[in-house]
Amino acid sequence: DLTASYVKKNINGAEYRLLAYNGSIPGPLIKIAQGAEVTINFKNGLDLPTLLHSHGVRMDNGFDGSQTTQKEMKPGETFSYQLKFPDAGIYWYHPHVREDYEQELGLYGNYLVVPVSADYWSPVNREVTLFLDDILIENGKIALSKQGADHTLMGRFGNVMLINGETNYRLSAKKGEVVRFYVTNAANTRPFNFSIQGAKMKL
């Protein structure tokens, strides 16, 4: 069960009204075995139309959650997305209505499709999902228009950087520990040069 709704969130000491799936930014990590079929019962708890798009997932066209395959869901409406996950890897879900507003305010989350083969990836001590994002806050307000998109192709660079929805995200690791990061860029425009100071990384 997945619901899009409003949440209050503190960013750099000020409280803002943002959007979230199941009350969290990012939304819940949905872990699925490769080859599984999953039904996501989605509810629009917003006062805006929305859809749920499963980005990069091979599925039946009727469950793509884009405006070319599905009518926008009005506030309060529900829809059951029947999804197939034939491919291992990391994918993400987000709205396909007013992405410049809804995605920017926090509507994004990951699918982690666990491979059937145990040696699909190199062994690690643990796995961590990371969402990189930015948000534009000017004069104490989030610079977005609810009435309509006000930037061409949703182009807007933010001035506050977020990792998993936080400005001060922290993670501890032991010396010699190997961590696999699944990194998703949820920013509307910004490319990120992602690195971890003092850590050896490989793609």
Side-chain angles (χ1 to χ4, degrees), residues 65-137:
S66 63
Q67 290 157 309
T68 56
T69 61
Q70 183 183 358
K71 288 180 63 177
E72 294 181 3
M73 292 174 58
K74 296 176 182 177
E77 286 188 337
T78 60
F79 185 82
S80 291
Y81 290 92
Q82 296 173 25
L83 304 175
K84 300 172 183 177
F85 293 87
D87 307 300
I90 192 77
Y91 304 92
W92 64 305
Y93 55 91
H94 63 91
H96 237 291
V97 179
R98 285 297 309 275
E99 295 103 308
D100 66 300
Y101 187 86
E102 295 182 9
Q103 182 178 304
E104 181 70 1
L105 289 182
L107 288 183
Y108 48 80
N110 274 134
Y111 299 111
L112 177 55
V113 185
V114 181
V116 173
S117 174
D119 60 355
Y120 187 85
W121 285 307
S122 300
V124 294
N125 297 108
R126 61 180 161 138
E127 299 178 320
V128 177
T129 55
L130 293 179
F131 266 100
L132 308 183
D133 196 9
D134 64 356
I135 193 166
L136 182 60
I137 299 177

Side-chain angles (χ1 to χ4, degrees), residues 4 8 19 42 55 57 60 72 116 119 126 132 135 142 145 148 155 163 175 182-183:
K8 291 181 180 178
L19 307 178
F42 179 66
H55 196 106
V57 178
D60 293 336
E72 294 181 3
V116 173
D119 60 355
R126 61 180 161 138
L132 308 183
I135 193 166
I142 296 175
S145 171
I163 299 176
K175 186 175 181 179
Y182 298 100
V183 183

